[in-house]
């Protein structure tokens, strides 16, 4: 305990001394939070913050030191997170490297792939995207058709991926391809790592209803990928794909909640519904806010327990579908409540008559529509919970 308190004091001192002043405030723009990679130019302070945190391995606090991680125990990592929260420090790095492919490589990757990729993920040098979905294969992912034909030490890839978030901004993709065309559909899939600069890869952005364009169609035409980039075994990709979805679904459960959502919800309600004795004037609105906040708190506690288990070596299983289902539907409820509170002020898109924070509520609400689709739809999560968590018959 005394050691942990010494550690806490050291962490506090180090964070105050090394975090650039502008990192002690919430980001103004999504690009103020660093996703790493070579294709996005971040402000100097964001880059400096990533450099110092990455150097120490504190972008991935519990990952082993030998691969560039922080090597912290789960208690120490908790202290680091607590101290960062106290100081309102934004994370130095987020993204699919840290939340999806990194954990999978640590669990299942060869020593060679770990040494090549994990340190670059920790330092935010490479941004990753996920090449799972195809035009005819979303919920029924195992039916995917992107072909990979072996040619000596390489696979030659042809096909199309779709809804590939940030493909145009990413340096590498983890991708599912079909390598056996005779086997049962799950048995013919291989999990590959692919450099997005390889000739034959084209990513074309698709615009979302919220106005932003986070995802792409990705076309693959005679793309050569070395066989050594296979994670696990050739034709053994399906089990890895599912394991990674476990990490993704746990991550999605709270990724859309923003740090100051609770404060914003109350502020908006006081402004648009009215204030009485320092409280939101309408009891019904107060009730709705309290319900959303209590549900969020319960989810946060359950997720924290799961993360503690993960740090102790427990792999996420089908129960991650419960978090995905609940967290995304809760986020939609929160966004819809904000829209209700705004009333007509929620109908703006741009221009005079609407404050920036009101326009943000509208766009966040529209963006939340995709939450119950991405990472697997709510209906699919219910199927998984029924069959694999509760053991109900087909
Ligand atoms: C914002 C966003 C980001 C995304 N990012 C990525 C990404 O980075 N990489 C990637 O690979 N994919 C990504 N996706 C794709 C996502 O994984 C798929 O959209 C999702 O798996 C659903 O597949 P689909 O769109 O083909 O719908 P379909 O599978 O065609 O489903 C259509 C409807 O049928 C229902 N349905 C289907 N099967 C069943 C069933 N067995 N039982 C009950 N209902 C069923 C679904 O719930 C849905 O309502 C993203 C999607 C969104 C919206």
């Amino acid at each position: 305990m005394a050691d942990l308190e010494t550690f806490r004091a050291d962490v506090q001192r180090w964070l105050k001394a090394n975090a650039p002043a502008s990192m002690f405030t919430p980001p103004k723009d999504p690009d103020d939070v660093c996703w790493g990679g070579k294709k996005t130019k971040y402000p100097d302070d964001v880059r400096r913050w990533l450099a110092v945190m990455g150097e120490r391995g504190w972008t991935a606090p519990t990952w082993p030191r030998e691969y560039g991680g922080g090597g912290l125990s789960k208690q120490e990592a908790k202290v680091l997170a607590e101290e960062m929260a106290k100081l309102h420090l934004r994370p130095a790095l987020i993204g699919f490297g840290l939340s999806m492919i990194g954990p999978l490589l640590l669990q299942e990757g060869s020593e060679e792939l770990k040494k090549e990729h994990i340190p670059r993920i920790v330092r935010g040098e490479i941004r990753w995207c996920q090449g799972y979905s195809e035009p005819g294969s979303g919920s029924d992912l195992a039916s995917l058709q992107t072909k990979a034909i072996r040619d000596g030490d390489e696979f030659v890839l042809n096909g199309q991926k779709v809804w590939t978030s940030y493909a145009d901004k990413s340096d590498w993709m983890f991708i599912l391809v079909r390598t056996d065309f005779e086997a049962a559909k799950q048995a013919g899939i291989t999990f590959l790592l692919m450099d997005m600069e390889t000739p034959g890869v084209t990513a074309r952005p698709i615009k979302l209803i919220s106005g932003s364009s986070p995802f792409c169609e990705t076309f693959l035409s005679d793309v050569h990928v070395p066989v050594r980039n296979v994670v696990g075994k050739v034709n053994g990709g399906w089990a890895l794909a599912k394991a990674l979805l476990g990490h993704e679904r746990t991550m999605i459960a709270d990724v859309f909640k923003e740090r100051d959502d609770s404060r914003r919800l109350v502020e908006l309600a006081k402004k648009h519904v009215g204030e009485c004795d320092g409280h939101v004037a309408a009891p019904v609105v107060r009730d709705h806010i309290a319900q959303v906040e209590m549900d969020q708190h319960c989810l946060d506690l359950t997720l924290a327990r799961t993360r503690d288990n993960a740090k102790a070596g427990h792999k996420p299983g089908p129960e991650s579908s419960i978090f995905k289902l609940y967290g995304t539907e809760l986020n939609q409820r929160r966004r819809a409540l904000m829209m209700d509170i705004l009333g007509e002020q929620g109908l703006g898109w741009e221009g005079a008559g609407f404050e920036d924070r009101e326009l943000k509520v509208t766009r966040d609400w529209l963006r939340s529509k995709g939450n119950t689709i991405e990472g697997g739809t709510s209906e699919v999560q219910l199927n998984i919970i029924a069959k694999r968590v509760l053991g109900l018959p087909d």
Side-chain angles (χ1 to χ4, degrees):
M1 222 41 199
D3 282 355
L4 216 51
E5 284 319 302
T6 312
F7 178 73
R8 186 182 294 279
D10 289 347
V11 166
Q12 252 176 33
R13 229 182 344 262
W14 188 89
L15 290 174
K16 284 181 186 160
N18 286 282
S22 62
M23 295 297 101
F24 291 88
T25 53
K28 291 194 192 72
D29 187 84
D31 278 345
D32 288 350
V33 183
C34 188
W35 288 71
K38 297 179 188 142
K39 296 186 181 166
T40 308
K41 193 166 165 21
Y42 292 100
D44 286 350
D45 278 1
V46 172
R47 283 191 293 119
R48 213 170 318 133
W49 183 216
L50 171 62
V52 289
M53 286 287 277
E55 179 64 36
R56 225 176 157 85
W58 281 5
T59 47
T62 57
W63 291 8
R65 261 193 204 290
E66 56 179 314
Y67 306 118
L72 300 186
S73 67
K74 74 176 188 191
Q75 291 92 340
E76 288 169 334
K78 194 161 171 249
V79 167
L80 173 61
E82 284 167 0
E83 292 309 310
M84 286 184 65
K86 268 191 223 159
L87 294 169
H88 304 291
L89 268 169
R90 66 180 78 165
L93 179 69
I94 58 171
F96 298 171
L98 287 179
S99 60
M100 290 198 245
I101 187 64
L104 185 81
L105 282 178
L106 284 171
Q107 267 171 22
E108 312 285 350
S110 64
E111 200 48 34
E112 190 189 357
L113 289 180
K114 282 188 212 172
K115 287 211 169 98
E116 181 180 348
H117 293 288
I118 299 287
R120 295 198 294 170
I121 292 173
V122 173
R123 294 194 299 266
E125 289 169 6
I126 302 294
R127 181 165 178 174
W128 288 84
C129 62
Q130 176 185 32
Y132 274 29
S133 306
E134 296 183 3
S137 307
S139 302
D140 183 16
L141 184 60
S143 68
L144 62 94
Q145 292 299 322
T146 293
K147 277 190 194 145
I149 308 284
R150 180 96 182 232
D151 180 13
D153 291 342
E154 295 182 327
F155 282 109
V156 183
L157 274 52
N158 278 287
Q160 186 194 339
K161 295 288 169 180
V162 74
W163 319 127
T164 332
S165 298
Y166 313 113
D168 54 337
K169 298 189 172 72
S170 296
D171 308 293
W172 279 69
M173 173 187 280
F174 48 94
I175 179 169
L176 298 179
V177 293
R178 183 157 301 284
T179 38
D180 186 330
F181 304 89
E182 309 300 325
K185 58 184 181 178
Q186 283 87 352
I189 293 171
T190 298
F191 194 115
L192 279 178
L193 306 181
M194 181 184 81
D195 186 339
M196 295 294 279
E197 292 298 311
T198 319
V201 180
T202 312
R204 197 187 294 157
I206 308 172
K207 216 166 200 175
L208 266 182
I209 193 175
S210 59
S212 63
S213 184
F215 54 24
C216 298
E217 302 175 279
T218 310
F219 299 93
L220 307 167
S221 171
D222 287 336
V223 179
H224 289 247
V225 177
V227 171
R228 67 176 195 85
N229 285 6
V230 172
V231 183
K233 293 197 172 72
V234 174
N235 296 326
W238 185 244
L240 302 183
K242 284 196 300 180
L244 185 136
L245 281 172
H247 293 295
E248 180 181 9
R249 287 171 180 161
T250 308
M251 178 265 298
I252 285 181
D254 73 344
V255 77
F256 295 105
K257 181 182 179 285
E258 293 175 25
R259 203 164 50 188
D260 63 344
D261 268 346
S262 306
R263 186 184 52 77
R264 276 201 310 140
L265 192 51
V266 174
E267 272 178 19
L268 285 172
K270 284 182 179 171
K271 178 172 176 218
H272 292 273
V273 179
E275 187 174 345
C276 178
D277 296 333
H279 300 293
V280 175
V284 174
V285 176
R286 279 208 304 272
D287 261 9
H288 287 317
I289 294 176
Q291 191 62 56
V292 164
E293 289 301 308
M294 285 190 301
D295 292 347
Q296 183 70 52
H297 191 60
C298 293
L299 176 66
D300 288 346
L301 290 173
T302 314
L303 280 169
R305 199 178 64 224
T306 305
R307 290 199 179 105
D308 279 353
N309 289 342
K311 283 172 200 153
H314 177 80
K315 296 180 188 174
E319 66 280 4
S320 59
S321 289
I322 301 172
F323 302 133
K324 204 276 160 176
L325 176 77
Y326 193 81
T328 54
E329 298 202 346
L330 176 59
N331 190 51
Q332 288 185 343
R333 266 202 280 145
R334 178 189 293 277
R335 304 291 157 210
L337 178 58
M338 284 185 175
M339 281 293 280
D340 285 349
I341 286 170
L342 246 57
E344 286 177 6
Q345 286 306 106
L347 299 178
W349 186 247
E350 58 191 2
F354 299 96
E355 292 176 13
D356 283 353
R357 61 178 182 167
E358 292 167 351
L359 296 174
K360 179 170 161 45
V361 169
T362 313
R363 288 176 187 240
D364 287 350
W365 171 69
L366 288 168
R367 175 64 184 85
S368 74
K369 301 289 173 194
N371 295 166
T372 46
I373 302 173
E374 59 204 294
T377 65
S378 283
E379 291 78 12
V380 166
Q381 305 318 306
L382 286 169
N383 282 345
I384 295 171
I385 295 165
K387 282 187 211 159
R388 297 185 50 213
V389 179
L390 300 175
L392 299 177
D394 277 340

